[in-house]
Amino acid sequence: VQLQASGGGLVQAGDSLRLSCAASGLNFRVYTVGWFRQAPGKEREFVASSKGSGGSVRYADSVKGRFGISRDNTKNTVTLQMNSLKPGDTAVYYCAAGRTIISSSMASDQAYAYWGQGTLVTVSS
């Protein structure tokens, strides 16, 4: 299984950015896929996730209303659309995938078996 994240970069506060994650080697449509991030000196934190097979999506309170997660099961990709970016959103963003993740565990990084390499998002003020 491979997850390849891309789309990071340097933007200004208020700008938008779209991250993509391409997955291979798994039955993508049945997997829960998620985005996590880790800022310098901080622990990795949940951002958003999407359950497989048309299931629910979930967002961290800090990004609700600004970020949107979507998936294309025909292309094995998951996208994180980030709007109204803030300096506090600066982090390395990781995509992750897990097979049997119950709804209450969607925000737990320990529930995800596979991880991409991360892509850096820097938001300047």
Side-chain angles (χ1 to χ4, degrees), residues 78-94:
V78 56
T79 298
L80 185 68
Q81 177 66 43
M82 305 185 295
N83 301 323
S84 302
L85 282 161
K86 304 174 182 179
D89 296 318
T90 295
V92 177
Y93 284 71
Y94 299 90

Side-chain angles (χ1 to χ4, degrees), residues 36-47 90-92 94 109-110:
F36 291 76
R37 66 186 182 186
Q38 188 167 20
K42 294 187 177 181
E43 294 187 355
R44 186 164 57 191
E45 64 174 3
F46 169 75
V47 176
T90 295
V92 177
Y94 299 90
D109 59 355
Q110 296 185 17

Side-chain angles (χ1 to χ4, degrees), residues 33 46 48-51 54-59 68-71 106:
V33 289
F46 169 75
S49 63
S50 171
K51 247 181 174 292
S56 60
V57 297
R58 185 170 176 178
Y59 295 96
I69 187 172
S70 60
R71 60 192 296 161
M106 288 174 69

Side-chain angles (χ1 to χ4, degrees), residues 47-122:
V47 176
S49 63
S50 171
K51 247 181 174 292
S53 301
S56 60
V57 297
R58 185 170 176 178
Y59 295 96
D61 289 343
S62 59
V63 306
K64 206 171 289 184
R66 299 189 298 122
F67 290 12
I69 187 172
S70 60
R71 60 192 296 161
D72 186 337
N73 291 334
T74 65
K75 298 181 179 179
N76 288 7
T77 58
V78 56
T79 298
L80 185 68
Q81 177 66 43
M82 305 185 295
N83 301 323
S84 302
L85 282 161
K86 304 174 182 179
D89 296 318
T90 295
V92 177
Y93 284 71
Y94 299 90
C95 59
R99 176 65 193 271
T100 51
I101 300 178
I102 59 177
S103 296
S104 60
S105 296
M106 288 174 69
S108 172
D109 59 355
Q110 296 185 17
Y112 294 79
Y114 305 107
W115 291 82
Q117 85 288 1
T119 185
L120 176 63
V121 173
T122 304

